[in-house]
Amino acid sequence: MIVRSAVLEGHVAPEHQDAFDRAMGEQVLAAIRTYPGLRDVKLRKIAVPEAGAPDVYMIFDLYFDSLAQMDAALASETRQIVRKTIAENMSLFQGRVYHLVFDERT
């Protein structure tokens, strides 16, 4: 199983966290779920940060059966729609976003 994780490293002002979290959990997750070949998507928000850990706010994990399926999803027209939805909701977030791709073995 391939897991592509989008890491949101940074912060959201306390007074905007509810709105941001709701947008990520509703609008952005709904858009991501339209990727072709996507097995699952999970949204994880940091509950308790460890001292000295990077300032990660939340992580999206996208699950695919193979790298080829992930690559096809990212090359699809759907990606532009997903990126637009994400961009529309990122104004409250201050920080950077980066991706990691894992080969998950159980």
Side-chain angles (χ1 to χ4, degrees):
M1 179 77 58
I2 297 299
V3 182
R4 184 173 195 261
S5 298
V7 181
L8 281 69
E9 184 177 331
H11 68 278
V12 175
E15 65 271 20
H16 298 299
Q17 287 180 358
D18 287 342
F20 181 79
D21 294 354
R22 189 170 39 260
M24 294 296 113
E26 294 173 5
Q27 297 167 12
V28 173
L29 275 180
I32 290 171
R33 285 189 177 107
T34 66
Y35 270 127
L38 182 72
R39 275 286 199 136
D40 195 10
V41 60
K42 295 181 181 177
L43 175 59
R44 298 181 292 145
K45 184 176 174 190
I46 296 297
V48 179
E50 183 175 286
D55 189 21
V56 173
Y57 186 79
M58 66 175 42
I59 299 174
F60 286 89
D61 292 319
L62 287 69
Y63 294 80
F64 296 92
D65 285 332
S66 67
L67 283 170
Q69 285 185 321
M70 179 193 78
D71 290 341
L74 297 177
S76 71
E77 291 182 25
T78 303
R79 185 171 193 201
Q80 298 313 312
I81 297 167
V82 171
R83 292 180 83 170
K84 182 179 179 211
T85 302
I86 292 168
E88 289 170 351
N89 291 287
M90 288 297 285
S91 64
L92 300 176
F93 177 75
Q94 300 297 313
R96 68 181 183 139
V97 178
Y98 57 91
H99 299 87
L100 302 168
V101 177
F102 298 93
D103 183 356
E104 183 174 277
R105 299 173 186 196
T106 56

